[in-house]
């Protein structure tokens, strides 16, 4: 076994994406929970400090962006590691760092993805951030512009805002999380606005310039907005090819979804009906009170009597998604789901309320 890697073994997730960003989110959520104490359990006063977060990302997650431990783990199992880039030079032949390897069984292409940078005039000439720069900072910026209202942008925007960064999010589409259900995007926009984040949807960036140590973004309305830094989070594109998966946006509330949205199902020509439940109206949501915003939306393919897709937003929304993903991927009949016994009072019991609503449509 020979592995060739030009950057860090393990790729984007452990060093610049999933793991360090969730450490930031966890810390920000702790601050938010502490701020919810008044009116619920006494009084609280919180002083944000990003230093422990930055230290944890360096010490526990990334080893200061050094992959030697991962390399050693691979070589101890009998693999040979080559630092560099590989090139397929012919059938069964791979070249890496001037050495030729003969392939006996197969070549695994695991080249990952990279940020998709939009063609905004001036962008290539300014020091913008991607997720890599964002998770590498030792202290939060005083102000930050986020270009893109998808999962990455929203997670990092909320995390930084909870540490005191003045945040402005710009999204070209009509709503946040444009690939998710409209209800989920509307819910998240409401929550983020309550937390002091400025949201600009249906707004396109037409120019970017770097002036007086600030990034200035011109919108199609003619307005110019400024921030200490600019985070470009307009999606990622695969190095070679992509695939469809259950997905979670780890904001607070978490937004989990699986399968088709209502719109996507209708575009495919399916006959659908939907059912929705609001988490604050459920027993557990009512008990939870502070920070209980959320919803469950089910999309039924009525022709087959199974769920074509589902969305779970709210506290532990990503965990509630498990049962919904099981139902969608295994095509469990909706009637069977209706006759399940849902533990009480749990967040996932809102799925039962959504099934009841589904029966009314």
């Amino acid at each position: 076994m020979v592995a060739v890697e030009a950057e860090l073994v393990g790729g984007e997730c452990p060093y610049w994406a999933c793991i360090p960003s969730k450490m930031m989110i966890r810390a920000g959520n702790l601050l938010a929970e502490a701020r919810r104490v008044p009116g619920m359990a006494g009084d609280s006063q919180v002083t944000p400090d990003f230093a422990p977060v930055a230290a944890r990302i360096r010490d526990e997650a990334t080893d200061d962006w050094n992959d030697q431990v991962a390399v050693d783990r691979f070589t101890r199992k009998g693999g040979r590691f080559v630092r560099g880039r590989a090139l397929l030079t012919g059938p069964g032949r791979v070249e890496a760092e001037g050495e030729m390897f003969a392939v006996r069984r197969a070549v695994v292409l695991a080249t990952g993805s990279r940020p998709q940078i939009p063609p905004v005039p001036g962008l290539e000439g300014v020091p913008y951030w991607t997720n890599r720069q964002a998770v590498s900072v030792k202290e939060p910026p005083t102000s930050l512009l986020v270009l893109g209202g998808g999962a990455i942008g929203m997670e990092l925007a909320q995390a930084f805002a909870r540490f005191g960064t003045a945040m402005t999010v710009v999204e070209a589409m009509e709503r946040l999380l444009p690939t998710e259900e409209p209800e989920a995007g509307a819910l998240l926009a409401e929550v983020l606005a309550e937390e002091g984040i400025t949201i600009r949807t249906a707004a396109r960036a037409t120019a970017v310039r770097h002036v007086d140590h600030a990034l200035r973004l011109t919108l199609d309305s003619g307005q110019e907005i400024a921030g200490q830094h600019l985070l470009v989070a307009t999606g990622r594109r695969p190095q070679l090819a992509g695939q469809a998966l259950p997905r979670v946006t780890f904001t607070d509330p978490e937004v989990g979804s699986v399968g088709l949205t209502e719109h996507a199902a209708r575009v495919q020509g399916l006959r659908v009906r939907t059912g929705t439940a609001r988490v604050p109206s459920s027993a557990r949501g009512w008990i939870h009170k502070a920070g209980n915003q959320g919803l469950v939306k089910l999309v039924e393919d009525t022709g087959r009597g199974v769920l074509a897709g589902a969305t779970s937003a709210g506290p532990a929304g990503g965990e509630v998604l498990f049962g919904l993903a099981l139902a969608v991927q295994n095509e469990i009949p909706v009637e069977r789901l209706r006759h399940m016994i849902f533990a009480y009072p749990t967040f996932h019991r809102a799925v039962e309320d959504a099934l009841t609503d589904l029966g009314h449509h």
Side-chain angles (χ1 to χ4, degrees):
M1 175 74 73
V2 177
V4 183
E5 173 58 58
E7 292 191 298
L8 299 179
V9 173
E12 196 77 15
C13 183
Y15 296 101
W16 298 289
C18 317
I19 304 303
S21 69
K22 301 312 170 282
M23 287 181 170
M24 292 173 62
I25 290 165
R26 166 64 173 155
N29 288 354
L30 284 171
L31 294 174
E33 279 293 280
R35 290 164 179 154
R36 290 167 179 157
V37 167
M40 292 283 288
D43 295 316
S44 65
Q45 184 174 350
V46 183
T47 304
D49 181 3
F50 196 78
V53 185
R56 188 180 183 205
I57 288 172
R58 278 163 175 74
D59 299 340
E60 297 180 31
T62 67
D63 200 14
D64 205 14
W65 291 275
N66 185 307
D67 65 350
Q68 191 59 53
V69 171
V71 172
D72 292 344
R73 186 184 306 123
F74 176 75
T75 56
R76 278 199 306 269
K77 292 183 177 181
R80 180 183 171 190
F81 178 71
V82 178
R83 181 80 67 187
R85 297 189 181 277
L87 181 66
L88 292 169
T89 58
R93 295 176 66 82
V94 176
E95 182 181 347
E97 297 301 294
E99 187 172 357
M100 192 67 67
F101 297 93
V103 179
R104 286 201 300 266
R105 292 191 61 185
V107 176
V108 177
L109 299 176
T111 53
S113 65
R114 59 182 175 182
Q116 183 167 288
I117 307 302
V120 179
L123 186 58
E124 292 297 335
V126 302
Y128 64 84
W129 283 3
T130 66
N131 62 298
R132 290 193 173 192
Q133 288 75 32
V135 303
S136 303
V137 297
K138 291 188 175 180
E139 58 185 37
T142 56
S143 59
L144 181 63
L145 305 177
V146 177
L147 193 58
I152 297 172
M154 293 304 89
E155 290 178 359
L156 293 174
Q158 187 177 50
F160 277 126
R162 289 177 166 180
F163 279 92
T165 300
M167 299 294 313
T168 301
V169 176
V170 176
E171 168 55 51
M173 303 295 283
E174 295 289 334
R175 62 181 186 270
L176 299 181
L177 303 184
T179 62
E180 304 293 348
E181 293 284 11
E183 295 91 338
L187 171 70
L188 191 56
E190 180 182 337
V191 170
L192 296 182
E194 289 176 356
E195 294 189 12
I197 297 175
T198 300
I199 306 292
R200 301 291 177 89
T201 53
R204 293 184 177 275
T206 58
V208 183
R209 59 196 185 106
H210 189 209
V211 181
D212 298 329
H213 305 290
L215 276 296
R216 298 183 178 273
L217 201 64
T218 302
L219 306 181
D220 52 4
S221 64
Q223 182 184 12
E224 186 177 71
I225 56 178
Q228 182 186 5
H229 292 286
L230 169 66
L231 170 62
V232 178
T234 47
R236 300 183 68 83
R237 63 180 178 183
Q239 304 283 49
L240 291 175
Q243 53 184 323
L245 295 169
R247 53 205 179 271
V248 179
T249 300
F250 291 91
T251 45
D252 177 15
E254 290 181 354
V255 179
S257 57
V258 62
L260 301 176
T261 62
E262 178 184 359
H263 175 73
R266 293 189 188 280
V267 168
Q268 290 192 14
L270 300 180
R271 291 184 293 113
V272 304
R273 60 179 175 176
T274 65
T276 305
R278 296 279 169 175
V279 172
S281 299
S282 69
R284 181 62 181 274
W286 176 76
I287 293 168
H288 199 72
K289 194 174 181 178
N292 68 351
Q293 298 96 327
L295 59 91
V296 171
K297 180 175 179 179
L298 308 178
V299 180
E300 180 186 0
D301 175 354
T302 59
R304 296 186 299 145
V306 299
L307 295 181
T311 295
S312 165
E319 308 307 320
V320 172
L321 182 67
F322 170 73
L324 295 172
L326 196 67
V328 170
Q329 294 178 357
N330 290 277
E331 300 184 333
I332 298 175
V334 169
E335 280 305 309
R336 185 179 299 173
L337 296 175
R338 282 200 178 95
H339 289 91
M340 285 177 53
I341 296 175
F342 294 80
Y344 177 93
T346 57
F347 284 118
H348 74 254
R349 203 166 191 269
V351 174
E352 183 179 43
D353 297 335
L355 286 165
T356 300
D357 188 59
L358 187 68
H360 294 158
H361 290 81

